[in-house]
Amino acid sequence: MFKEYRSRRAEAQPNVLKLERKNEAPKDADAPSEDLELKAHLDLKNRLHGELLDRLNLTMIDKVERSELKRQIASLVTSLIEAEGVYMRSEAFSSLVEELIHEVMGLGPLEPLLEDPTINDILVNSFDKVYVERHGLLEKSKVRFRDERHLLRVIDKIVSKVGRRIDESQPWVDARLEDGSRVNAIIRPCSVDGPALSIRKFSRVPLTLQRLVEQGALNQQAAGLLKALVDARLNILISGGTGSGKTTLLNAVSSFIDTRHRIVTIEDAAELQLQQEHVVRLETRPPNAEGEGTISQRDLVRNALRMRPDRIIVGEVRGAECFDMLQSMNTGHDGSMTTVHANSARDALGRIEQMVTMMGAELPLKTIRSQIASAIHIVVQLSRMSDGSRRILSISEITGMENDTITMQDIFVYKRRGRAETGAVMGDFVPTGIRPHCFDQLVAAGVDVNADLFKRLEV
């Protein structure tokens, strides 16, 4: 059956199947019980996958349309299943073929999860324990890997595509998928129970500020203010805890940057999805097998200053590169942006201060704070709420220095009103009634801002 199919298609399509045939695997004499049905399915898929790898011409796969590849694989799987003596319904057969295509061309069991738009995070604790996050809440998935080797193979496929490695000498790695999704993997000996994998999915359709308004992350007035701040080229620091949506907001806010501006982005793993055309993306490099060749974010920030950028966007500041970022904001690269991990706007400034001291230079504390106060204009604080939703908690303005203290004032804040019967957090994003010091700067930049935007509302 398979030979006839291959000969009919040989002239029309590139042949991805080798001519040689191996002896078919012997039939399993023992029929699997109901309790072992899943294990039997995984074992069958493993055997078929091995046969496919032996018979597929992997160098030709990329040249064949997916539909044609699926037909060729389906034909081969049919003959192999007949040799196994296994009888399957058409639905189960189609599902098996799809799983095998995922194994050959994609990331195996992860593919259905990556294609599911309702899933935000994929968390693999071990080969047989996979969790996903939907709408901010975790749930256990039925997806599982065959064993640790299977999971390790998928991890290696991910990291090798971006030129990184993971082994006993370097047992953890940050990487990304082709769509920009963030990946972290860690293996033995650091991961006691075997390989663990975390994937933070990014929407294939970039979230705009308007969509964030519709989702309740902020209101229309605050969105208008953020747009005005970007148009006027004020420097913005986005702060929040893990999973609070910092990168998502950075992507959304950056969409308002003038398309005529030259933008340089700097990240550990490239995941920003800027909509402008004039963008140069820079990415750090980990050490090689000899422990050499590291390229840090600080190296890239310094290099970016020589690339004639209008704006510099650092995906997240974590160390000494923070000092160079502040210097760039103070030396003509207005409208730059970055993110930082912190639980409040005030804590964010404290973290920035600590990172500058990591540089090693013994600068007076007042000098560091003065640099921060003059470089950063706006701090946007985000948080993930108890119901899993992500919201902006405040938009704050840095107004200067008073003695040795950086002074700030809130322009918009989120006020909680309690919880609904469904468990959803209830609240309103409202102006504080304070007109920001930067209002005159917005007007001078030609940005149309209505002063009524800042009037306090009674909630």
Side-chain angles (χ1 to χ4, degrees):
M1 177 179 177
F2 165 68
K3 288 182 178 179
E4 293 175 355
Y5 173 88
R6 188 185 62 78
S7 61
R8 289 197 305 269
R9 297 280 180 177
E11 296 182 0
Q13 293 286 343
N15 186 23
V16 301
L17 301 167
K18 296 180 181 177
L19 295 177
E20 61 270 23
R21 295 288 304 272
K22 297 181 64 177
N23 293 330
E24 304 293 349
K27 297 179 182 179
D28 191 352
D30 299 325
S33 65
E34 292 183 1
D35 294 338
L36 298 178
E37 183 177 350
L38 177 59
K39 184 179 184 301
H41 174 78
L42 293 174
D43 289 341
L44 173 63
K45 188 171 74 171
N46 183 35
R47 292 195 298 273
L48 296 177
H49 184 224
E51 290 286 347
L52 284 174
L53 293 180
D54 285 339
R55 303 186 186 198
L56 287 175
N57 183 353
L58 299 179
T59 61
M60 298 293 292
I61 281 183
D62 293 337
K63 301 178 182 179
V64 180
E65 293 183 2
R66 185 180 180 87
S67 58
E68 175 61 26
L69 178 64
K70 186 173 183 177
R71 285 194 292 270
Q72 294 193 25
I73 289 179
S75 179
L76 176 55
V77 170
T78 300
S79 63
L80 294 175
I81 287 180
E82 289 177 353
E84 290 269 353
V86 177
Y87 298 94
M88 305 179 69
R89 294 182 178 179
S90 59
E91 296 85 356
F93 175 77
S94 298
S95 176
L96 178 61
V97 171
E98 193 67 29
E99 290 179 25
L100 288 169
I101 290 177
H102 290 331
E103 291 288 349
V104 174
M105 300 185 64
L107 300 180
L110 296 179
E111 286 294 329
L113 304 182
L114 292 170
E115 294 172 0
D116 188 340
T118 65
I119 293 177
N120 300 321
D121 287 88
I122 303 171
L123 307 171
V124 182
N125 293 354
S126 62
F127 74 92
D128 58 348
K129 294 179 181 178
V130 180
Y131 291 80
V132 297
E133 180 196 285
R134 280 190 174 92
H135 311 298
L137 301 176
L138 288 175
E139 61 183 64
K140 191 171 184 178
S141 169
K142 295 181 180 180
V143 168
R144 59 171 291 175
F145 294 82
R146 185 175 60 256
D147 49 31
E148 283 192 18
R149 289 183 60 190
H150 187 196
L151 176 54
L152 279 171
R153 190 176 75 242
V154 171
I155 291 174
D156 187 65
K157 184 181 290 188
I158 293 172
V159 301
S160 62
K161 283 186 177 180
V162 292
R164 305 203 173 191
R165 65 185 181 88
I166 185 168
D167 51 39
E168 289 187 0
S169 62
Q170 178 60 50
W172 64 83
V173 66
D174 288 316
R176 68 180 187 280
L177 301 182
E178 292 180 359
D179 63 357
S181 296
R182 183 189 312 166
V183 177
N184 176 270
I186 186 167
I187 63 174
R188 298 181 190 271
C190 291
S191 181
V192 177
D193 297 322
L197 179 67
S198 305
I199 300 177
R200 168 67 53 79
K201 286 177 58 180
F202 274 16
S203 174
R204 295 181 181 178
V205 179
L207 284 174
T208 62
L209 211 55
Q210 185 57 43
R211 286 187 62 191
L212 293 178
V213 170
E214 294 169 359
Q215 294 176 7
L218 70 167
N219 63 10
Q220 197 67 54
Q221 291 76 13
L225 174 61
L226 289 176
K227 180 182 184 302
L229 296 172
V230 175
D231 289 341
R233 300 190 64 173
L234 272 66
N235 298 323
I236 299 175
L237 174 66
I238 298 175
S239 167
T242 300
S244 58
K246 298 185 297 298
T247 305
T248 298
L249 181 63
L250 181 58
N251 276 323
V253 170
S254 66
S255 65
F256 298 120
I257 295 177
D258 194 323
T259 56
R260 296 169 297 179
H261 288 176
R262 176 175 171 83
I263 307 168
V264 177
T265 67
I266 299 165
E267 303 171 83
D268 272 335
E271 57 191 19
L272 290 174
Q273 298 172 311
L274 270 65
Q275 306 303 304
Q276 292 78 3
E277 182 178 355
H278 199 168
V279 178
V280 179
R281 305 170 70 202
L282 306 181
E283 185 179 52
T284 62
R285 187 178 71 183
N288 57 24
E290 290 75 33
E292 301 175 349
T294 303
I295 299 177
S296 67
Q297 282 201 135
R298 189 175 188 192
D299 296 328
L300 294 179
V301 172
R302 287 176 172 178
N303 185 78
L305 296 175
R306 304 182 181 95
M307 298 175 65
R308 198 266 176 213
D310 290 305
R311 304 186 193 226
I312 296 176
I313 298 180
V314 179
E316 181 184 339
V317 287
R318 295 189 179 94
E321 72 275 0
C322 185
F323 177 77
D324 299 283
M325 182 68 192
L326 293 176
Q327 292 292 336
S328 68
M329 289 178 171
N330 278 322
T331 55
H333 303 94
D334 298 330
S336 296
M337 307 176 194
T338 188
T339 71
V340 66
H341 274 82
N343 295 323
S344 69
R346 178 61 64 178
D347 287 345
L349 300 185
R351 288 216 63 205
I352 294 292
E353 183 181 309
Q354 293 170 3
M355 291 176 194
V356 173
T357 61
M358 293 171 62
M359 181 184 61
E362 296 182 0
L363 296 174
L365 196 58
K366 185 173 183 178
T367 301
I368 296 175
R369 291 177 178 174
S370 178
Q371 287 284 326
I372 295 172
S374 61
I376 300 173
H377 301 117
I378 300 294
V379 181
V380 182
Q381 181 66 36
L382 296 95
S383 178
R384 179 191 291 206
M385 313 304 285
S386 56
D387 62 354
S389 62
R390 297 170 173 87
R391 287 190 172 89
I392 292 179
L393 293 187
S394 64
I395 299 178
S396 306
E397 178 188 31
I398 296 179
T399 57
M401 291 277 294
E402 186 174 320
N403 296 325
D404 291 344
T405 304
I406 301 174
T407 55
M408 301 177 64
Q409 63 182 13
D410 293 335
I411 305 173
F412 280 85
V413 294
Y414 180 76
K415 291 188 176 181
R416 293 184 58 164
R417 291 189 284 105
R419 300 186 65 163
E421 294 181 358
T422 59
V425 174
M426 300 172 62
D428 301 284
F429 203 68
V430 297
T432 60
I434 300 174
R435 194 175 81 164
H437 285 201
C438 64
F439 180 79
D440 293 336
Q441 188 174 346
L442 298 178
V443 174
V447 179
D448 185 17
V449 181
N450 191 335
D452 293 340
L453 180 70
F454 309 107
K455 285 186 178 180
R456 184 171 184 173
L457 302 176
E458 296 297 333
V459 178

